[in-house]
Amino acid sequence: MTGRLNAAQPYALGLFRIVVGLLFACHGAAALFGVLGGAVGTHGGTIPAGTWPGWYAAAIQLVGGALVLLGLGTRAAAFIASGSMAYAYFDVHQKSALWPIQNGGELSVLFCWAFLLLVFTGSGAFGLDTLFARRSGDQRQPAAERRPVAA
């Protein structure tokens, strides 16, 4: 059974990346465009452009989430997203109480650690990173070492 689970690991990681990226991008879209219920605490509204730190956090959520969702620049996007969630936790939530369950920071903590995991694991299956790595890897090999494609 362990062998089968290990063989499925890249696919499970790819699905994890897609779900986390989609959820993160949805938070950014809600805050920037007022969709999906709008920004938290605005009753369907948006965060005013340029407002620190909310608008910048929403931009990171939208762009970073989309990049992670697509698996494009996954490690760099996940690193920035993880850092933004760590900042959100320590600057916004921890002022209220120490534990995430007390200060409403569970989502920030979960996103922070999920993105940090993706920094170390990469995009897994189904990511554009993998597709581009295969293509660039094929082009880097000398012509003599390339195997012909059999029909």
Side-chain angles (χ1 to χ4, degrees):
M1 180 152 158
T2 302
R4 286 185 183 175
L5 290 174
N6 287 343
Q9 186 175 4
Y11 305 105
L13 183 60
L15 291 173
F16 174 79
R17 173 189 48 78
I18 290 168
V19 169
V20 170
L22 176 64
L23 293 174
F24 202 59
C26 285
H27 275 275
L32 292 174
F33 307 120
V35 298
L36 305 170
V40 175
T42 64
H43 303 292
T46 61
I47 295 175
T51 305
W52 177 258
W55 186 85
Y56 294 95
I60 290 171
Q61 289 169 358
L62 180 63
V63 174
L67 289 172
V68 168
L69 169 67
L70 296 172
L72 185 61
T74 303
R75 291 177 191 255
F79 181 76
I80 292 168
S82 178
S84 74
M85 289 295 96
Y87 177 85
Y89 180 74
F90 288 112
D91 187 61
V92 177
H93 297 286
Q94 198 180 36
K95 291 177 182 178
S96 306
L98 176 64
W99 294 101
I101 193 73
Q102 294 173 314
N103 63 29
E106 302 99 328
L107 199 53
S108 295
V109 171
L110 284 171
F111 272 130
C112 178
W113 285 101
F115 284 121
L116 190 62
L117 177 67
L118 290 172
V119 169
F120 289 97
T121 61
S123 62
F126 316 120
L128 294 178
D129 286 345
T130 307
L131 180 66
F132 291 142
R134 284 185 196 150
R135 286 189 180 175
S136 65
D138 289 342
Q139 293 172 356
R140 289 183 192 156
Q141 291 179 347
E145 293 180 17
R146 290 188 197 148
R147 294 183 183 162
V149 177

